[in-house]
Amino acid sequence: MPVTPRPTPVTALPSIAADVLVIGGGLSGTWAALAAAQAGARVVLADKGYCGASGVAATSGPGHWWVPPDPDLRAAAIAGRMAIAGGIADPAWMARILDITWTTLPTIADVYDFATDENGVVQYRGLRGPEYLRAMRRKILNHGVRILDQSPALELLADCNGAVAGARGLRRQRHEAWTVRAPAVILATGGCGFKSRLLGSHTNTGDGHLMAAEAGVPCSGMEFSTYHTVSPAWSTMTRSMSYAFAVYYDAGGREIPVPPGDITRTLARAMLAGPVTCSLHRMPDDIRERLRRVQPNMMLPFDRTGVDPFTQRFPVLLRPEGTIRGSGGIRMADEDCATEAKGLFVVGDAATREPVAGAVSGGGAILAAWALSSGVMAGRAAAARARGSGGPGDGPVTPLGRAGLRPARHAAPVDVSAVTAAVQGETLPYDKTIFRRAPVLRRSLAVLDGVWRDVRDHLDGYGLSTAGETVQAREAAALTAVARWCTRAGLDRAESRGMHWREDAPATDPAYARRLSVGGLDDVWARFDGDAPQPIPSQTIPVPEAGAA
Ligand SMILES: Cc1cc2nc3c(=O)[nH]c(=O)nc-3n(C[C@H](O)[C@H](O)[C@H](O)COP(=O)(O)OP(=O)(O)OC[C@H]3O[C@@H](n4cnc5c(N)ncnc54)[C@H](O)[C@@H]3O)c2cc1C
């Protein structure tokens, strides 16, 4: 249904002055807020949902990269990760996050009850996600952080020198507009899951990526956005530990041989040919027995439908994660997680994780350690910037938001659900993202460019009738922008590396052992490190004939 623009009945709240504004209250945002507050800053944290239950870690059991500070152990851990990172990771960044995680994680023992083993030794590596996030909320409140729940940020503000100076957003449930003035803003908005129904990811729509781009900051590694998780076909339950014991069957009931390290492509091929079923009968009894305690929500979809996954086969699919457990994101400009835009920092899944994960996923250890450590680095640096800047200031500011908020041409009805569906049509199908080919990528880019033009030119988010509709309009713009960068990066990396697979270029080319940045809003550009920019105006990319291979 087309949306009819009407004035937004929101009340503008008085502007809040802060030293540091954190946008996003998941793992990385709460760690950033804590570090900034501990460094003496006045911190405001705004989350789209409820900080403490929001973000992808709140439904999982994040294991951290946890290696004792023994030089040999650390060197071996780093060498092991470098060996699989596709030549684009950085051992120095890895060493830093190992160190920060080791010294920082135990500091929440006052609010989080760490498990102990049978000998009474405290186990720091793996945490229970829901309790972890609740504890982080408690911890930051104890340190005086002001939390704005249900308060999505919509756009950044810039001061007269072009530095980022705060943000604006909406309090969804109260139809109020908030403004925070701060000389340092930390983007902690998570990855972009393209609304694929990955558990806990419905708020991860790439808003931070779009805000960064509007401040002139590019992304990097967006081609590494093809991580997929197995889930029961009827459920969003993406707790994947149990599938280490899975046996899969094709449409004819034959067992599918899964070569180690190639599970996603193997299953995706089978799923493109027909339904795939799974059985967990190989899971050892002691793990089955512990499963309900360790991952209580894992069994819910089975209990609800009366399926016994240990004796019965059940249909499964691969749930795309976009950039969430991919490794691409907003590019950092220095070792404090600052970006190229003055006053703007980026942490966690919103940032590129190439330095610590390279071309492969860092899920299972690296990403949680990165969320924590990047939060600590950026939180401290943001507090230092605030100290040196003389405070939030009260001069004039310019709102930077464009697409989805203010139409570039004239307001006209834009069907926001159709925008999201169009983006999903290019980002979720396995034959477009897992098995990439240049002609298909070009076609996707042309489709997405058309969607972008419509959103940019006509979608009047601020003119919509409810705060919820305004937020959805902005999300639609962000999803479109991120989809275009992922697609363009997939096209320019004309080789296969890590999780990026090109059917038409299956070899890894040593010439491409470099990071690839993408940016731009109207004209998307791409550039390998060390190369000149390649500004192909995306509107002029020819649309190949449908069906061209
Ligand atoms: C199923 C699963 C299991 C995982 N297990 C592990 C593991 O064992 N080990 C490991 O290392 N990693 C793991 N990961 C990855 C790890 O959980 C993430 O890297 C980490 O949680 C990222 O934290 P984050 O704060 O950057 O992002 P998120 O946790 O996604 O938080 C982002 C927050 O930003 C908010 N937000 C978004 N847009 C806006 C906006 N416009 N305004 C305000 N707020 C906004 C969201 O509401 C959300 O609260 C797992 C991921 C998944 C999906």
Side-chain angles (χ1 to χ4, degrees):
M1 282 281 291
V3 181
T4 312
R6 273 176 282 149
T8 310
V10 294
T11 312
L13 297 170
S15 167
I16 301 169
D19 296 320
V20 176
L21 168 65
V22 181
I23 302 178
L27 216 51
S28 62
T30 49
W31 277 111
L34 179 61
Q38 285 172 330
R42 283 173 305 163
V43 182
V44 174
L45 179 151
D47 195 277
K48 197 190 280 191
Y50 178 83
C51 171
S54 193
V56 292
T59 50
S60 66
H64 295 65
W65 204 22
W66 186 251
V67 184
D70 169 305
D72 293 339
L73 290 177
R74 290 264 168 105
I78 291 170
R81 289 301 308 196
M82 287 300 291
I84 57 168
I88 55 169
D90 182 341
W93 275 91
M94 291 184 183
R96 287 179 76 210
I97 72 163
L98 278 173
D99 215 39
I100 294 175
T101 304
W102 182 265
T103 52
T104 310
L105 189 53
T107 64
I108 58 166
D110 57 331
V111 286
Y112 180 86
D113 187 15
F114 284 98
T116 49
D117 68 10
E118 56 279 8
N119 301 316
V121 177
V122 180
Q123 300 296 298
Y124 289 109
R125 185 187 178 280
L127 282 81
R128 303 169 299 276
E131 289 166 56
Y132 187 10
L133 266 296
R134 273 203 302 277
M136 290 306 294
R137 180 184 177 94
R138 219 165 29 250
K139 186 90 178 169
I140 62 175
L141 285 173
N142 290 347
H143 280 78
V145 173
R146 178 167 177 189
I147 298 176
L148 309 180
D149 290 312
Q150 307 296 343
S151 299
L154 293 176
E155 57 179 332
L156 296 174
L157 306 172
D159 67 16
C160 55
N161 299 313
V164 171
R168 251 187 211 163
L170 292 172
R171 300 186 81 173
R172 270 205 279 227
Q173 295 164 325
R174 301 195 196 167
H175 291 223
E176 293 166 339
W178 58 263
T179 299
V180 175
R181 299 281 303 260
V185 175
I186 300 176
L187 290 172
T189 44
C192 177
F194 298 116
K195 296 203 171 185
S196 71
R197 302 186 70 222
L198 172 79
L199 189 64
S201 74
H202 57 287
T203 53
N204 293 49
T205 48
D207 308 358
H209 299 69
L210 179 55
M211 287 188 258
E214 287 167 339
V217 180
C219 288
S220 179
M222 297 301 273
E223 65 278 30
F224 306 121
S225 50
T226 57
Y227 191 84
H228 286 65
T229 314
V230 177
S231 80
W234 69 93
S235 159
T236 56
M237 185 50 63
T238 42
R239 302 301 303 270
S240 51
M241 182 272 280
S242 302
Y243 294 95
F245 305 99
V247 183
Y248 298 99
Y249 305 91
D250 66 17
R254 291 171 296 268
E255 183 174 336
I256 302 169
V258 181
D262 199 14
I263 183 163
T264 301
R265 282 206 300 278
T266 304
L267 291 184
R269 265 196 196 98
M271 286 172 188
L272 286 169
V276 168
T277 53
C278 170
S279 162
L280 299 179
H281 66 268
R282 285 198 191 142
M283 184 183 284
D285 287 345
D286 60 323
I287 296 185
R288 283 185 208 187
E289 191 266 316
R290 267 186 287 152
L291 193 58
R292 282 182 188 277
R293 267 183 292 122
V294 179
Q295 291 194 345
N297 49 2
M298 157 72 193
M299 289 302 289
L300 286 178
F302 300 108
D303 293 345
R304 282 193 189 129
T305 49
V307 171
D308 179 352
F310 307 116
T311 60
Q312 290 173 276
R313 294 181 189 182
F314 54 95
V316 284
L317 48 72
L318 285 165
R319 191 81 58 191
E321 296 203 10
T323 72
I324 290 176
R325 272 185 285 183
S327 65
I330 301 162
R331 198 171 74 184
M332 285 98 53
D334 71 12
E335 294 187 348
D336 287 330
C337 300
T339 68
E340 286 161 34
K342 276 201 182 55
L344 188 64
F345 298 78
V346 64
V347 296
D349 286 359
T352 178
R353 284 127 311 150
E354 292 163 293
V356 292
V360 298
S361 174
I366 303 277
L367 292 183
W370 167 251
L372 179 162
S373 313
S374 57
V376 170
M377 297 173 208
R380 287 177 186 158
R385 174 177 164 81
R387 267 197 308 277
S389 73
D394 54 7
V397 285
T398 310
L400 298 182
R402 291 290 172 269
L405 295 176
R406 303 177 176 89
R409 293 192 171 189
H410 55 89
V414 174
D415 184 341
V416 168
S417 319
V419 169
T420 304
V423 169
Q424 290 178 323
E426 306 307 320
T427 52
L428 302 188
Y430 308 149
D431 52 356
K432 290 185 177 170
T433 51
I434 297 177
F435 306 109
R436 288 169 164 160
R437 285 177 297 140
V440 179
L441 288 163
R442 272 194 212 104
R443 211 157 43 229
S444 288
L445 205 46
V447 169
L448 293 166
D449 283 345
V451 175
W452 174 259
R453 283 196 295 275
D454 204 23
V455 168
R456 176 201 62 191
D457 289 347
H458 304 301
L459 184 52
D460 180 16
Y462 278 136
L464 298 178
S465 63
T466 66
E469 285 178 352
T470 306
V471 173
Q472 282 169 11
R474 185 63 164 160
E475 287 180 344
L479 290 168
T480 313
V482 176
R484 291 166 81 219
W485 296 320
C486 290
T487 308
R488 177 64 199 267
L491 182 60
D492 276 44
R493 188 173 283 284
E495 59 148 6
S496 296
R497 183 179 298 269
M499 73 180 90
H500 165 70
W501 177 261
R502 282 280 297 262
E503 282 286 275
D504 53 355
T508 300
D509 182 346
Y512 283 116
R514 290 179 287 162
R515 295 192 197 141
L516 174 62
S517 295
V518 284
L521 291 163
D522 295 336
D523 293 332
V524 172
W525 56 262
R527 179 178 66 234
F528 280 97
D529 279 4
D531 283 355
Q534 304 291 312
I536 301 175
S538 35
Q539 283 94 331
T540 62
I541 291 177
V543 185
E545 291 300 312

